[in-house]
Amino acid sequence: MDFYEIEGGTPLVGEVSINGAKNAALPLMAASLLSSEPSVLHRVPDIEDVHTMADLLRSLGARVEWQGKGSLMIQAGPGLSPRLPDELTRKMRASVLLMGPLLARLGEVELSHPGGCAIGPRPINLHLDGLRYLGAQVTAEAGALRATTTGLQGTLIVLDFPSVGATENLMLAATAAKGVTIVRNAAREPEIVELQDFLNKMGARIRGAGTDTIRVRGVRELHGAEHRVIPDRIEAATFLVAGAVTRGRVTVADVIPEHLEAVLAKLEAAGCTVEEGNDLVEVSLQGRPAPIAFRALPYPGFPTDAQPQMCVLCALADGVSLVHENVFAQRFHHLEELMRMGANVFHEGGYAVITGVSKLTGATVEAADLRGGAALVLAGLAAEGITRVERAYHMDRGYESFAEKMQSLGAQLKRLSN
Ligand code: UD1
């Protein structure tokens, strides 16, 4: 199994270009199933989760072809299957996003329950209840989910929590429902706006994405569309925090700075200098970071997907930081591993108290999930001595050319095999 070997202590300096967003590309790929015509997505990141989604679409009978770097053609012609294969479905939780489009297109969908994951339980009750409100019959028996309908009907759906995936699934299903669907307490992430933009290009009639109320007027048919995926704000945040924890100066290019506001505000609070351009952000830090308090929340709050990375900055701060994880209360595995490197951490429930230390020390640590693993790499880059981050494959799910990009900033990091 591959691992990263990191020699810490070199400040990262330079500029990296940011890829298309994983969490935007996956729902757009799912949306392509809504039409029998080809759609083309540009700036699709070359990452494992995209490959898994492509394999899932192929297994259903769609044509999925790369057309040069970053461009993906998807055509879901006639004869599409409503049954998702077990192994691929379990590999990636975002496979649940295929429920909405398959139900809309075929009137049925069957998949195994995607289950929990390393960041804690991840129920899909909001997805299933929402589909029921739209008129689908949904059963969950012996680990298998099945939804059927003879015609979805527009309705009012009030989400208990602004779930990103549930909002997306319901938008996807509602494009084919009769009449108007209103989703209240909808997620407001940029990836939701992105999905609205793409679906409207396909002929859907959706408005309100980016606010807490989304309105979808069902249409009879959608056609193919072409779209360029927005930049990955989490990849950008990861590289910016890497610059800060190594007391370097990192510029991320091809980003939308507005999407990074919550992260940049906390980096500034930690003493970083932040400079913004049109599509650039530069972060630098001299000396130890100041302690901060932050809370992971739905957008426009601080993103849970950048919480682990930010914890590394807190671990090195000159004082006590407070972290409240309000989206996935159990998302703290990385803290256990950071303690092996000398971090001083107490966590309980969704809270962590991190008392900064003047240095972390290299150790062998294990990535348990995508962003937690990235945080451990950042800790290794800032630590004294050699760090080995096991299970490098977690990072492949969401970072394209992770090692190469880090190396281009001066990181002493190698990907090796056992
Ligand atoms: C998406 C992102 C993930 C990010 C998360 C939160 C994708 C592919 N993944 O995941 O990277 O960390 O948003 O920003 O876009 N919940 C329920 N019932 C449900 C659905 C969710 O209780 O039916 C809860 C979850 O347990 C969690 C919270 O709602 O506590 C947020 O989850 P959600 O926004 O749905 O995350 P995902 O869409 O799975």
Side-chain angles (χ1 to χ4, degrees):
M1 233 186 295
D2 285 10
F3 60 92
Y4 286 112
E5 191 178 88
I6 305 156
E7 191 181 333
T10 308
L12 298 196
V13 177
E15 179 175 314
V16 279
S17 168
I18 296 304
N19 289 107
K22 165 176 98 65
N23 290 352
L26 297 174
L28 298 197
M29 290 173 75
S32 306
L33 291 186
L34 285 165
S35 168
S36 59
E37 293 181 7
S39 284
V40 180
L41 302 173
H42 300 290
R43 203 199 215 201
V44 177
D46 186 2
I47 53 176
E48 264 314 297
D49 274 9
V50 162
H51 295 161
T52 304
M53 185 59 95
D55 288 343
L56 271 165
L57 299 183
R58 287 189 190 106
S59 75
L60 296 171
R63 265 177 66 209
V64 184
E65 284 164 19
W66 290 96
Q67 298 183 333
K69 180 158 169 47
S71 295
L72 197 59
M73 190 286 299
I74 300 170
Q75 181 169 22
L80 210 56
S81 161
R83 266 168 286 282
L84 271 63
D86 218 38
E87 203 177 314
L88 285 170
T89 306
R90 285 165 194 276
K91 214 168 151 186
M92 181 182 65
R93 286 195 41 91
S95 50
V96 74
L97 291 176
L98 295 171
M99 285 191 85
L102 288 173
L103 197 60
R105 176 94 187 263
L106 305 174
E108 67 171 311
V109 56
E110 245 183 72
L111 66 160
S112 51
H113 199 295
C117 68
I119 64 175
R122 291 179 78 175
I124 52 168
N125 57 311
L126 301 175
H127 301 240
L128 303 186
D129 288 346
L131 295 175
R132 285 188 185 108
Y133 284 127
L134 285 168
Q137 282 77 52
V138 184
T139 57
E141 279 164 20
L145 294 171
R146 184 172 152 77
T148 55
T149 181
T150 50
L152 298 172
Q153 186 71 46
T155 187
L156 169 69
I157 301 167
V158 184
L159 294 176
D160 288 349
F161 186 91
S163 154
V164 173
T167 304
E168 291 168 344
N169 233 338
L170 298 175
M171 287 166 76
L172 289 160
T175 54
K178 235 190 192 153
V180 176
T181 300
I182 296 174
V183 183
R184 286 209 199 278
N185 198 23
R188 291 181 284 166
E189 269 67 4
E191 292 76 18
I192 305 283
V193 179
E194 178 80 341
L195 180 60
Q196 169 178 281
D197 289 350
F198 180 61
L199 286 170
N200 284 346
K201 280 187 187 174
M202 293 179 79
R205 294 177 64 189
I206 309 178
R207 57 194 169 90
T211 76
D212 60 5
T213 302
I214 298 176
R215 209 174 271 273
V216 184
R217 182 176 288 279
V219 293
R220 196 116 43 89
E221 215 172 35
L222 294 182
H223 49 79
E226 194 165 343
H227 191 80
R228 185 173 148 84
V229 177
I230 50 165
D232 196 315
R233 59 198 170 95
I234 305 303
E235 186 197 12
T238 303
F239 281 101
L240 291 175
V241 179
V245 297
T246 58
R247 301 187 194 182
R249 175 184 298 274
V250 167
T251 305
V252 288
D254 301 325
V255 297
I256 300 175
E258 191 193 331
H259 293 173
L260 288 160
E261 272 169 5
V263 173
L264 298 180
K266 289 301 165 187
L267 285 170
E268 271 184 333
C272 297
T273 304
V274 176
E275 310 258 3
E276 288 181 39
N278 263 350
D279 63 351
L280 291 178
V281 177
E282 183 182 273
V283 165
S284 59
L285 179 67
Q286 287 175 345
R288 274 179 82 179
I292 53 171
F294 74 99
R295 174 178 289 169
L297 286 170
Y299 192 85
F302 190 95
T304 173
D305 287 349
Q307 176 264 107
Q309 301 86 316
M310 207 64 172
C311 285
V312 180
L313 197 65
C314 298
L316 290 161
D318 191 7
V320 181
S321 295
L322 180 64
V323 183
H324 181 195
E325 174 51 71
N326 208 47
V327 180
F328 295 107
Q330 293 179 29
R331 189 174 202 169
F332 280 141
H333 178 84
H334 50 283
L335 295 181
E336 299 295 323
E337 300 299 293
L338 285 177
M339 284 190 242
R340 293 175 190 267
M341 301 176 71
N344 182 348
V345 178
F346 170 81
H347 70 94
E348 194 169 275
Y351 290 89
V353 176
I354 305 178
T355 305
V357 292
S358 59
K359 67 175 171 67
L360 294 172
T361 316
T364 295
V365 289
E366 191 176 286
D369 62 277
L370 166 59
R371 307 302 172 184
L376 297 176
V377 170
L378 266 45
L381 292 169
E384 205 174 85
I386 307 283
T387 295
R388 183 172 156 146
V389 181
E390 307 268 11
R391 298 182 183 266
Y393 65 85
H394 282 295
M395 276 64 98
D396 299 341
R397 282 191 39 220
Y399 293 96
E400 179 178 329
S401 310
F402 190 53
E404 291 77 2
K405 283 186 176 180
M406 285 292 180
Q407 286 157 357
S408 78
L409 297 171
Q412 302 297 305
L413 168 151
K414 281 185 284 196
R415 185 176 174 129
L416 300 168
S417 295
N418 270 325

